[in-house]
Amino acid sequence: MTRTGAQIIWEALIREGVDTVFGYPGGAILPAYDALLDYPIHHVLVRHEQGAAHMADGYARASGKVGVCVATSGPGATNLVTGIATAHMDSSPIVCITGQISSPFIGKDAFQETDVTGVTLPITKHNYLVTRVEDIAPTLREAFYVARSGRPGPVLVDITKDAQQHSCEPVWDDTPFELPGYRPDLSPLPAAIERAAALINEAKRPLILAGHGIILSGAENEVMEFAERAKVPVSLTLLGLGAFPPDNRLYLGMMGMHGESWVNSAIQQADLLLSFGMRFDDRVTGKLETYARQAKKIHIEIDPAEINKNVPVDVALVGDLKSVLQRLLPKVDTVDNRPWVEHIEELKGDSAVRDIQTLPDDGHLYAAHVINDLWRATEGKALVVTDVGQHQMWAAQYYKHPASRHLITSGGLGTMGFALPAAIGAKFARPDAEVWVIAGDGGFQMTACELSTCAQENLDINIAIVNNGYLGMVRQWQEFFYKRRYASTPIQSPDYIKLAEAHGLSGVQVKSRAEVMPAVDKARTTSSTVVVDFHVEQEDTVYPMVPAGADLDEMIRRPKTENPIYETAASE
Ligand SMILES: Cc1cc2nc3c(=O)[nH]c(=O)nc-3n(C[C@H](O)[C@H](O)[C@H](O)COP(=O)(O)OP(=O)(O)OC[C@H]3O[C@@H](n4cnc5c(N)ncnc54)[C@H](O)[C@@H]3O)c2cc1C
Ligand SMILES: Cc1ncc(C[n+]2csc(CCOP(=O)(O)OP(=O)(O)O)c2C)c(N)n1
Ligand SMILES: [Mg+2]
């Protein structure tokens, strides 16, 4: 049957299982918007296209499915850029559909013409300019395949207005893809598996460094089986948090710049690092020249471009983590690594637990208290979506994320403004989940316009603003490395209660520790979006910290006497 290009767009999406898209209309995408009225797809009208891309990203991270955003040409398309780059850095599968001016006008600086495939070339996994109606169906099918297969990532499809207006009889092909030069299904040779097994079985001080790839691969059970069988302790990257149960005795905590000191020390002392679906980001390694010099390294990774990129490895197993581990597991001996595990336990020494919950209320409200109370009130089960900054690190440290897809955060790009729109996307993906935004007063203001989207869509999202009156993470760097010269980091906020109320939503202000739990309870029991404005200690610091470029175990520690949040032993 003959269809317009505009109709084909939505039929293609429905064939991919899409029921929700996030977008904003405009001239070059108007034919598609007109056709949308006839299809069972829910369109979420965002307030800024950056929000649409983050919503698609949050939807993808919460569900494991491909998220979709839509924008018009020119400024609509360029507004997507930050969201696309965010998804690209964190391997999140989204498809972005943009309208383009009609093909005869391309190259003539026509109204709202931007070469968006050119602009997004380095920040998409792949992108397409579609000028013919016949190409819409096959291109969208390919776009979804590319976005979700292999190492996931964002794909942009730019469709000219005339292609949307013209008609054809679409061909719906279901044959498996064979794209020249694209090999998402690599798997290691048997000899490489044998070499890896030999290293594992010889190791005395092995450590698993596990990342986002576990979640993307769905390899949680295999990683657990591996760790249990070979008795290898596990540490996670920020983006891996939740993929290994936080209460398992082999779990050590987060690695890296704001990770646990004993994890970083153990990495420096290990004789074997097993890197599972993580990419040795500089926030994870510290100074590369001195990184884990005693360790042999095995890297299981789906993207060959990641092998030896930052850290040279002894054995590379290129393939999907789950299937590689399934092949490796039978070759791994059950060993006794107890001395090593006990040694790491000793490394904790007096640097151990952040035992803040037992501390008396001294009149100060610390972000750590807020997040710890939030964790207790939600029994650790909330889907937490953070923004970027100090609060993000505290959300990683003080909220024990229980399972995969319970923490959504912008890691690689560190995009302020991510949290609220990503949480909206996550709520559409998992309507039954209790969704909490944890945002700073700076980042929240970047995309606060999406409160209006929460109101229009009647969403039940809880928002915790960790309001310290500063661009706190930057202030912290100024404190440590720029002699406390706080250039442009003090930041004023609007009255968030009035802001919420202006949107028809409600808000609560919290200034003391005693008010935290009642406010959290109010947010949890209110069925619309609630903003809780926590006025926390202004010049608090995220500890520990590996200064950028320092050795991984050269951590700045919390001074014991100056600050009431002790990090010393559990007995205190
Ligand atoms: C303020 C700030 C501070 C930070 N501090 C820290 C910190 O202290 N510690 C920390 O860990 N991070 C920190 N980060 C985050 C950091 O920048 C990186 O985003 C993070 O370390 C990346 O984690 P990852 O390598 O697990 O995930 P990604 O960057 O998503 O990489 C995942 C890897 O898995 C691979 N992969 C994907 N699918 C599969 C599959 N099916 N099978 C196998 N492999 C697969 C991908 O190709 C990729 O190489 C911080 C970020 C910010 C903004
Ligand atoms: C879009 C963007 N601009 C600038 C930065 C640099 N940056 C990183 S953290 C940070 C401060 C964040 O402040 P706030 O949102 O108040 O969170 P806090 O650190 O105070 O918890 C800034 C400016 C960034 N990550 N993203
Ligand atoms: Mg702040």
Side-chain angles (χ1 to χ4, degrees), residues 218-465:
E220 291 84 351
N221 292 341
E222 286 73 15
V223 172
M224 170 67 78
E225 204 181 327
F226 186 99
E228 294 282 2
R229 176 174 311 179
K231 297 281 176 293
V232 183
V234 178
S235 109
L236 293 171
T237 65
L238 176 70
L239 293 187
L241 290 181
F244 198 83
D247 50 4
N248 186 290
R249 67 202 153 72
L250 285 169
Y251 181 59
L252 300 178
M254 188 169 84
M255 67 189 93
M257 178 176 273
H258 295 294
E260 308 292 0
S261 60
W262 57 89
V263 174
N264 291 343
S265 298
I267 290 171
Q268 296 300 73
Q269 295 174 21
D271 67 356
L272 178 66
L273 292 185
L274 292 143
S275 157
F276 290 173
M278 55 80 78
R279 61 179 176 84
F280 292 111
D281 183 269
D282 52 77
R283 260 47 189 162
V284 157
T285 59
K287 189 175 176 182
L288 284 172
E289 294 75 33
T290 56
Y291 180 70
R293 289 241 288 259
Q294 304 177 34
K296 298 253 190 246
K297 291 157 194 106
I298 299 172
H299 197 177
I300 309 184
E301 163 63 56
I302 205 162
D303 182 356
E306 288 297 338
I307 305 298
N308 297 327
K309 186 180 81 179
N310 294 334
V311 173
V313 297
D314 299 274
V315 181
L317 303 178
V318 177
D320 171 52
L321 181 61
K322 187 182 175 92
S323 44
V324 173
L325 283 178
Q326 281 168 348
R327 286 176 58 194
L328 188 57
L329 265 164
K331 305 192 183 297
V332 171
D333 298 340
T334 301
V335 289
D336 181 9
N337 281 325
R338 234 173 319 163
W340 168 233
V341 175
E342 282 164 12
H343 173 68
I344 298 175
E345 203 55 43
E346 279 163 24
L347 286 177
K348 292 184 179 177
D350 79 341
S351 70
V353 296
R354 299 184 178 85
D355 192 17
I356 62 162
Q357 59 273 46
T358 55
L359 290 171
D361 184 353
D362 63 357
H364 295 267
L365 180 61
Y366 287 92
H369 295 143
V370 172
I371 290 162
N372 191 254
D373 279 357
L374 197 57
W375 171 69
R376 287 194 296 135
T378 55
E379 296 169 8
K381 293 182 187 143
L383 197 171
V384 172
V385 188
T386 82
D387 217 78
V388 169
Q390 291 185 310
H391 63 279
Q392 177 188 28
M393 294 298 107
W394 286 317
Q397 294 177 338
Y398 294 104
Y399 198 106
K400 296 177 189 45
H401 305 280
S404 289
R405 304 189 190 281
H406 276 65
L407 171 65
I408 294 179
T409 192
S410 165
L413 202 67
T415 305
M416 288 171 70
F418 174 78
L420 178 58
I424 294 173
K427 187 70 184 173
F428 275 100
R430 307 233 306 263
D432 297 334
E434 177 177 348
V435 175
W436 274 90
V437 167
I438 301 182
D441 43 339
F444 184 73
Q445 292 188 64
M446 285 196 168
T447 51
C449 56
E450 302 302 343
L451 279 175
S452 188
T453 310
C454 294
Q456 185 164 348
E457 294 290 334
N458 290 317
L459 294 179
D460 179 4
I461 291 177
N462 306 305
I463 301 170
I465 300 178

Side-chain angles (χ1 to χ4, degrees), residues 50 82 387-392 394 413-417 439-446 466-475 489 491 538 542:
Q50 179 186 348
T82 301
D387 217 78
V388 169
Q390 291 185 310
H391 63 279
Q392 177 188 28
W394 286 317
L413 202 67
T415 305
M416 288 171 70
D441 43 339
F444 184 73
Q445 292 188 64
M446 285 196 168
V466 178
N467 187 345
N468 53 11
Y470 277 105
L471 300 175
M473 184 55 96
V474 179
R475 188 208 59 74
T489 42
I491 184 166
Q538 291 206 305
V542 180

